[in-house]
Amino acid sequence: MNVLFNHLPTEELQAIDAAHHLHPFTKGADLNKKGARIITRAKGSTLTDSEGVEILDGMAGLWCVNIGYGRDELAKVAYDQMRELPFYNTFFQTSHPPVIQLAQKLSELLPGDLNHVFFASGGSEANDSNIRIARHYWAIKGKPTKKTIISRHNAYHGSTMGGASLGGMQPMHAQGGLPIADITHIDQPFWWGEGGDMSPEEFGLACARKLEAEIERLGEDNVAAFIAEPVQGAGAVIVPPSTYWPEIQRICDAHEILLIADEVICGFGRTGNWFGSQTYNIRPDVMTIAKGLSSGYAPIGGSAVTDEVAAVLDSDDFNHGYTYSGHPVSCAVALENLRILEEEGIVDTVRAETAPYLESKWRTLADHPLVGEARISGMMAAIEMTPDKSARAQFANPGTVGTIMRDNCFNDALIMRNVRDSMIISPPLVITKAEIDVLMERVVRALDKTLATLKADGMFKPG
Ligand code: PXG
């Protein structure tokens, strides 16, 4: 069977999908009625659907296809590795060349002395590992009460029991009795939505100091770690005020807790440096990696830890691991992806050229009557749609306007996601300036169309 040509007509694919496929984060009954959008192939930053329509992918798949679609080199190494050694485990005193090389390559690329990696199949698993790592680390050090992990409201750390518990997504907690024990959440540094009368800088400090207050409330003897994304991604690209990370780092240094940077989205070039920790001057003890590690071509994630954390973990058995920890095919694909990112200078081009270009255009969106704020960090950006800019007001029934805008984008061949009524992008890092121009034209057109609809429906009344 040649998978490339195994296309049934769209309606048939949709009907079979509706009959047998349960989708993530979806109300199946609604989707099954209208039918899923079927994507059949992709190249560079462009997707093609089952009707042959070409769509600009403003989300790099799911924040992951950093090197863009259609790189044959990755297919080739996957093929070669499958023939050579399609699987072997890394349990029971064994290893294999791809996982060895990838661990070494990552130790070169990762900042500071994050020189050791525990592998997983994705970001959620890696964050589950991080819970185990942080608690086990303190237990080995004779401090078994240090178990609680502090996270933030509206954080996203995955969808497993551990990942979703670390995350601060209320609708996820509401299903299945989450969060699990010994995980707490403090406020996020979302100035536009929650900063009130404070300046962004004052608000950044105030949010960071909530970490210190939470450590004091729980008792330092009970706290294992603080986990955070350098820039919250799924929470709607929440770029923290400049004062936030320095203060968080000070607090982590002053207290005996581990700092876990979840770089599943920020890692591998997204913020214009290899890691968000470099962009925001963060010195994590543990870093979660996934997505851009393989540009999504094969599932892989991991927990990178410092020399000190590794030395402690290595001193005892660690009763934890996944069948696919260090899967040889995923490791080979990740290595090839890293080679391309490095040799083609993709991160440098983002930092020096395409991200500044996108930023200069993106910031102008704040002049649109519907846009309250336009924020950006490297190749991830958001706009807040508002009925009243000066009041930083939010629409009633959050998500209604976002959905209208998302559909307008999609109907104009642009994938741009909504979170509530904010719109977010995270395009492939290889997006060109010409494609950025197209993206911007489509965003503005969709904003104009959305505004016209809101005015016609009486939902937009400029004050
Ligand atoms: N941490 C962060 C920061 C993430 O963004 C995960 C962990 C979990 O990774 P896995 O590989 O287990 O999915 C993520 C994933 C969205 C969306 O709609 C975002 C993610 C996943 C699915 C949807 O923005 N991020």
Side-chain angles (χ1 to χ4, degrees):
M1 180 176 77
N2 186 331
V3 288
L4 286 177
F5 298 102
N6 183 30
H7 290 168
L8 298 169
T10 303
E11 302 73 47
E12 268 183 68
L13 288 168
Q14 288 172 329
I16 300 168
D17 188 71
H20 301 294
H21 178 197
L22 295 171
H23 288 249
F25 286 93
T26 298
K27 184 170 175 186
D30 290 351
L31 177 67
N32 293 346
K33 257 184 247 150
K34 67 178 194 181
R37 159 197 323 156
I38 316 270
I39 303 298
T40 52
R41 57 180 194 274
K43 185 94 187 156
S45 301
T46 303
L47 307 166
T48 305
D49 74 9
S50 51
E51 296 294 298
V53 177
E54 295 198 336
I55 307 159
L56 183 59
D57 185 6
M59 286 305 301
L62 213 45
W63 319 77
C64 54
V65 188
N66 290 12
I67 63 164
Y69 299 92
R71 294 298 301 246
D72 284 346
E73 301 93 322
L74 274 68
K76 174 84 170 61
V77 297
Y79 175 82
D80 290 346
Q81 186 58 45
M82 278 195 195
R83 297 190 71 197
E84 184 81 8
L85 181 72
F87 177 77
Y88 202 73
N89 71 68
T90 52
F91 293 38
F92 315 129
Q93 327 272 306
T94 46
S95 202
H96 53 70
V99 76
I100 293 168
Q101 281 179 55
L102 180 61
Q104 182 195 37
K105 183 72 210 170
L106 285 168
S107 78
E108 278 170 39
L109 292 172
L110 287 160
D113 61 351
L114 292 163
N115 289 324
H116 315 263
V117 186
F118 189 96
F119 287 101
S121 308
S124 304
E125 276 187 8
N127 277 328
D128 275 33
S129 296
N130 289 342
I131 298 174
R132 306 283 304 275
I133 287 170
R135 291 180 179 171
H136 190 45
Y137 168 89
W138 289 115
I140 295 173
K141 290 182 86 147
K143 299 186 176 177
T145 59
K146 286 176 78 66
K147 278 170 63 182
T148 298
I149 301 180
I150 303 170
S151 179
R152 305 181 298 180
H153 299 298
N154 198 39
Y156 191 85
H157 297 297
S159 200
T160 50
M161 295 290 277
S165 295
L166 289 174
M169 300 292 180
Q170 211 287 321
M172 294 176 77
H173 291 174
Q175 296 177 343
L178 302 179
I180 57 171
D182 299 320
I183 292 176
T184 67
H185 299 82
I186 58 172
D187 288 342
Q188 59 175 336
F190 179 28
W191 175 79
W192 191 85
E194 299 169 4
D197 294 334
M198 284 186 234
S199 70
E201 291 72 25
E202 288 165 347
F203 182 67
L205 274 184
C207 285
R209 288 184 183 151
K210 295 205 168 153
L211 173 59
E212 199 148 45
E214 185 67 354
I215 294 169
E216 276 156 21
R217 184 184 77 81
L218 293 161
E220 194 169 326
D221 288 348
N222 298 314
V223 180
F226 173 62
I227 183 168
E229 303 150 83
V231 175
Q232 285 152 265
V237 188
I238 309 295
V239 183
S242 62
T243 47
Y244 182 75
W245 273 113
E247 184 67 0
I248 290 282
Q249 186 67 59
R250 181 196 68 73
I251 293 165
C252 290
D253 290 345
H255 297 273
E256 194 186 44
I257 65 167
L258 296 174
L259 173 54
I260 307 173
D262 184 340
E263 296 243 17
V264 167
I265 285 177
C266 293
F268 305 100
R270 179 62 54 198
T271 67
N273 289 296
W274 274 86
F275 297 94
S277 292
Q278 293 158 327
T279 305
Y280 293 95
N281 250 317
I282 306 166
R283 291 188 310 281
D285 302 288
V286 178
M287 186 192 283
T288 325
I289 52 177
K291 293 193 191 271
L293 169 56
S294 66
S295 284
Y297 280 61
I300 185 166
S303 308
V305 305
T306 60
D307 292 340
E308 196 269 336
V309 172
V312 173
L313 290 177
D314 277 344
S315 70
D316 192 12
D317 272 328
F318 189 27
N319 301 322
H320 176 65
Y322 310 107
T323 300
Y324 298 137
S325 288
H327 191 285
V329 177
S330 295
C331 289
V333 168
L335 271 166
E336 185 64 5
N337 171 61
L338 297 177
R339 184 191 68 72
I340 289 175
L341 274 175
E342 219 176 8
E343 286 184 16
E344 296 184 7
I346 291 172
V347 182
D348 297 335
T349 304
V350 166
R351 182 180 46 247
E353 289 181 38
T354 43
Y357 185 76
L358 175 63
E359 174 161 3
S360 68
K361 308 229 151 191
W362 193 261
R363 297 263 183 221
T364 66
L365 292 175
D367 299 332
H368 193 279
L370 194 52
V371 176
E373 181 183 63
R375 50 181 183 263
I376 180 163
S377 176
M379 276 289 177
M380 59 201 291
I383 47 177
E384 290 291 337
M385 295 188 295
T386 174
D388 182 349
K389 279 182 200 252
S390 56
R392 307 210 305 269
Q394 313 215 6
F395 287 104
N397 304 320
T400 312
V401 178
T403 307
I404 296 170
M405 176 68 183
R406 184 201 61 195
D407 291 346
N408 284 337
C409 290
F410 187 69
N411 292 334
D412 201 8
L414 171 67
I415 303 264
M416 183 179 185
R417 255 204 43 211
N418 72 301
V419 176
R420 305 169 284 102
D421 297 321
S422 36
M423 302 302 303
I424 57 182
I425 57 160
S426 171
L429 301 185
V430 294
I431 191 169
T432 62
K433 288 183 181 174
E435 286 169 331
I436 289 172
D437 290 345
V438 172
L439 183 147
M440 292 303 306
E441 270 168 35
R442 291 179 188 174
V443 171
V444 171
R445 212 156 38 219
L447 278 170
D448 290 345
K449 204 167 166 202
T450 304
L451 181 60
T453 303
L454 297 186
K455 281 182 172 164
D457 292 353
M459 287 170 72
F460 186 82
K461 298 191 185 77

